[in-house]
Amino acid sequence: MTTLGKRERTKQANRAAILDAARDVFADLGYGAATVRDIVRRTDLATGTFYNYFPDKESVLRAVVEESVAEARARVRAARRSGRTLEEFVRDGFQAYFEYLVEDRRDFELLRRNAGTIRALFSEPTLVAGVEELAEDLRDGIAAGVVPPHDTEWMAAAMVGTGFEVGVRMLDRGEDSLDAAVEFVTGLFLGGLRTLAH
């Protein structure tokens, strides 16, 4: 195992401090009202140090979203792939995603307060990769006989888009709406997939 030198550890720590502060600022103030100065104030770093890592606040938001999305994608994919029936495939994936949204208050507020800004990032590679992974899992499910044949590209886009939008509304309604959100999207996509199979 390779150990990092002091300089590399410092660089990683600085970047992590900036991202951590940005999560707090975007959750508290919202992306539109937040400034680079607000982010820097929540660290022990100088403003110049910030610019060594990020050119602007948009690039920080992208990095924060990428980290969150990568974690969510991993959990959702693992849950989806463990499903042995069509219902488990659909329900378990959405359940994992919605649980992820409510698990961390800061990320919860970050998404709730900045949904429109994050929505505008949907063409970003990290977010596109989630759609591509779901399309691949749908194709694998069809091959295994668990998922009825259908257009996997359209279905993946519909499922990811719906999951995001219902997730935002679930956050607006409160954590106690998680089960209702899971039931809603599960029923919606089970019905759609079964209809497409006929």
Side-chain angles (χ1 to χ4, degrees):
M1 182 167 118
T2 307
T3 57
L4 298 175
K6 183 179 180 195
R7 183 166 190 242
E8 190 58 34
R9 284 193 312 270
T10 299
K11 285 174 66 175
Q12 287 183 356
N14 288 349
R15 187 175 192 280
I18 292 166
L19 292 175
D20 193 49
R23 272 190 177 83
D24 286 340
V25 170
F26 295 147
D28 292 346
L29 303 177
Y31 175 77
T35 66
V36 168
R37 182 177 297 206
D38 293 321
I39 296 168
V40 172
R41 281 185 187 141
R42 296 206 189 182
T43 70
D44 294 329
L45 305 173
T47 302
T49 304
F50 173 93
Y51 290 108
N52 289 334
Y53 296 90
F54 299 99
D56 51 32
K57 75 174 182 175
E58 181 180 338
S59 62
V60 178
L61 177 67
R62 288 175 190 276
V64 165
V65 170
E66 284 176 12
E67 278 189 359
S68 295
V69 168
E71 175 66 22
R73 278 178 31 214
R75 290 185 192 192
V76 169
R77 195 162 206 202
R80 208 169 40 228
R81 287 182 162 194
S82 69
R84 299 291 170 238
T85 65
L86 176 61
E87 184 169 349
E88 288 175 354
F89 179 94
V90 174
R91 178 185 308 277
D92 293 355
F94 282 116
Q95 179 86 35
Y97 176 63
F98 294 150
E99 285 176 353
Y100 175 78
L101 292 181
V102 301
E103 182 177 289
D104 184 313
R105 291 302 303 176
R106 187 173 55 168
D107 280 350
F108 175 109
E109 286 301 324
L110 175 76
L111 177 60
R112 191 180 67 73
R113 186 176 294 270
N114 300 283
T117 304
I118 293 169
R119 194 177 286 117
L121 299 176
F122 262 56
S123 62
E124 292 296 309
T126 302
L127 297 173
V128 170
V131 177
E132 291 169 355
E133 286 174 357
L134 176 52
E136 180 183 325
D137 288 350
L138 287 164
R139 287 189 294 273
D140 290 348
I142 291 168
V146 173
V147 177
H150 64 282
D151 187 311
T152 57
E153 302 302 317
W154 285 2
M155 184 59 70
M159 291 176 85
V160 169
T162 301
F164 179 82
E165 295 299 337
V166 170
V168 169
R169 278 145 188 86
M170 177 194 72
L171 296 178
D172 286 340
R173 290 185 181 190
E175 293 176 42
D176 58 342
S177 64
L178 188 148
D179 291 339
V182 171
E183 291 306 312
F184 176 81
V185 293
T186 299
L188 179 70
F189 285 104
L190 283 178
L193 285 164
R194 288 174 177 150
T195 299
L196 291 170
H198 294 105

